[in-house]
Amino acid sequence: MKKVIAIFFILLSAQSWAQILQPAKWSLEVSNPDAKTGEEVDLIFNVKIDKDWYLYSTDFDPDLGPMVTEFEFIPHESYAIVDSLAPVGAKKKYDELWEGEYTYFREKGKFVARVKILSENPEIKGSYAYQVCTDVDGKCIPFDDEFSFGELLGAKAAATKPAPAEEKSEVKESESKETKEGVLNQRGVNDPYSLWAFMIAAFLAGIAAIFTPCVFPMIPMTVSFFTGKKKGLGVLYGLSIIIIYTLIGSLLAPFMGPETANELATNWIPNVIFFAVFVIFALSFLGLFEITLPSKFVNNVDKQADKGGFIGVFFMAFTLVLVSFSCTGPLVGTILVESAGGLILKPILGMFAFSMAFALPFTVFALFPSLMNNMPKSGGWLNSVKVVLGFLELAFAFKFLSIADQAYHWNLLDREIYLAIWIVIFTLMGFYLLGKIELPHDSKTEKTSVGGLMLAIITFSFVVYLIPGMFGAPLKALSGYLPPQTTLDFDLTSSRGAGANAESTICEAPKYADFLHLPHGIQGYFDYEQALACAKEQNKPLFIDFTGHGCVNCREMEARVWSDPQVLKRLKEDFVVVALYVDDKTELAESQWFKSAYDGKMKKSIGKQNADFQITRFNNNAQPYYVILDTNGELIPPIKAYDLEIANFVAFLDEAKAEFKKRQ
């Protein structure tokens, strides 16, 4: 009787974990179901989220950690994307574990894209992938599905897969208006903090441009022209400079908008081009050559400036822009490159902020000529500013090459190589600031200025900060610019605490170990069949960790529970460990594909196959999810999920180990 009761409770416990959860239910709608050819229409993705669950949005750094929601439209000649998909009303939160800010939705969410209809019966299809999590028991679940707006355009609006019939969207006119306003607001002020930071950086670039040898000497020459004339002409001169640069941003804005983001994220060509452009700019600033415009063009513009009046003032400003191009061109180009893939307004606002700073001294000195007496004299220090900018341009050039390198696995810029390049660049910059290095256009100096000394101290301090990164220090302040830490060939932090018995859990070289990893020096596998074979060989229970790259609570379990010496010792010595990533995008050879018995879809990637295994074998789709099997692949209850109590996890491992011994 006791055995019957025990079996009953084991089955009841297993059943409590065995459930396929669907916390997010999606529905589709369009702003104008009767849209005709040539008209624009909003495609609206609505999602209803269960209580105590939240869904990650699309607009935060994908390298932060959590899985960013992604939408992919299949290109078709029947439509064209006007405004890329954007979230409406997403909330923001700072996460201490990931040390960054992410965006998310609770209860309900909304994403909107605008397209132009190019033909009748447009074929608008695609797919989306997302992750939902709950703080109640720590589950995180990745999902993916397909969408089609074919039935919604030119037909009655109805919710489409995967939303059930009762979830059909009924949006009132006021809600539709709210949606459009929300999208406009979201696109206009998407991540305002980063936009403001970009404008501040552009403003500082404008100030830096003033202190270059092409611009600084022109201030007294230009302002003297306005002395004794109407002050309004001096103000008009400054406004003309702002208008010219802002027009440059406006002309390029359509080519630098959100659609460019996909290319920058996935294609090596623009990133390599940007890398080359930055290197050319850097070499120009360092004095190898000058980037100049055709003299005939500049002279023709200069002739227009001689006509006087408002038109003459405008062309004087235009002449200044052209003459100073060899110094300002690289800075302007940098701003435009950095604005690529952002908002449509980003290049316009960047040029406006740059020109505001650039025009400031010309306007102020034209209004108050007496201030010229307090202005520092031209000299070799102007070229020093230009050279320092060259060092910075060269360092940031490798950011773009690194993006292409990671996306296509060229393995040219592993983390230690990237850091070594930066360490050398900034070390040379520090010596230059101390006057130990002379470049082609430098003036000889016998003494180091106080300002140069302070900048050298800052530069060398930064170099000292970088050096530990060569051996595994995380350098969290630079995480957005550096290659992943897993690309390090020599990482002291990962080898720390590996344990003497760590190698005993390995029977053969693990598959996928070149890009998948276990924490805390744990040696294990990333393929179920390989791990089970090793468990049989070593006669140990098999510990399965259903995890994901974007699973926040998985990382928290590893950081706060797995790192405990009691837990770590057991995982290394008593079990064969396999980590099955359910969201890994690596596509396998066609011979390894299979059709799922669960949803009838072809499973082509490592992540989709692992997710299907979790669902079909354990009737569960949440992470983190920990199960332990015997050497025959049979489940050893209980099952464990998110639980930060170390004692509970130790008891879970010990109970499974004891049951495994009984079965022997």
Side-chain angles (χ1 to χ4, degrees), residues 190-268:
N190 186 19
D191 200 354
Y193 300 105
S194 63
L195 187 59
W196 275 109
F198 172 74
M199 290 183 66
I200 291 172
F203 186 86
L204 294 176
I207 293 177
I210 296 168
F211 298 101
T212 58
C214 313
V215 178
F216 192 82
M218 296 183 69
I219 296 176
M221 293 168 53
T222 307
V223 173
S224 63
F225 174 82
F226 293 101
T227 304
K229 294 183 175 64
K230 293 181 179 179
K231 291 187 176 181
L233 290 177
V235 174
L236 180 62
Y237 182 69
L239 290 175
S240 297
I241 295 173
I242 295 173
I243 291 171
I244 291 168
Y245 277 110
T246 305
L247 282 174
I248 294 173
S250 301
L251 292 173
L252 292 174
F255 307 100
M256 311 294 282
E259 286 301 305
T260 315
N262 291 331
E263 283 296 302
L264 295 181
T266 60
N267 200 309
W268 66 271

Side-chain angles (χ1 to χ4, degrees), residues 108-120:
K108 63 180 180 179
K110 187 171 292 184
F111 303 87
V112 181
R114 171 158 288 196
V115 300
K116 185 175 183 179
I117 308 301
L118 302 180
S119 66
E120 295 183 359

Side-chain angles (χ1 to χ4, degrees), residues 287-315:
L288 183 62
F289 53 81
E290 285 193 1
I291 303 174
T292 59
L293 295 172
S295 58
K296 185 176 181 180
F297 175 64
V298 176
N299 292 335
N300 287 336
V301 173
D302 190 39
K303 289 179 181 178
Q304 297 296 322
D306 296 333
K307 294 182 178 181
F310 292 116
I311 295 178
V313 170
F314 178 82
F315 277 100

Side-chain angles (χ1 to χ4, degrees), residues 462-528:
F462 181 63
V463 171
V464 173
Y465 171 77
L466 291 176
I467 291 174
M470 297 282 290
F471 309 102
L475 305 183
K476 295 177 181 178
L478 298 173
S479 59
Y481 287 93
L482 302 179
Q485 190 151 349
T486 53
T487 62
L488 274 175
D489 292 332
F490 183 62
D491 190 346
L492 289 176
T493 60
S494 64
S495 60
R496 190 182 302 149
N501 298 320
E503 291 296 331
S504 65
T505 60
I506 290 294
C507 301
E508 60 178 335
K511 294 180 181 178
Y512 319 127
D514 54 331
F515 58 91
L516 297 177
H517 308 278
L518 282 161
H520 311 304
I522 297 173
Q523 301 295 304
Y525 293 92
F526 310 97
D527 176 81
Y528 169 71

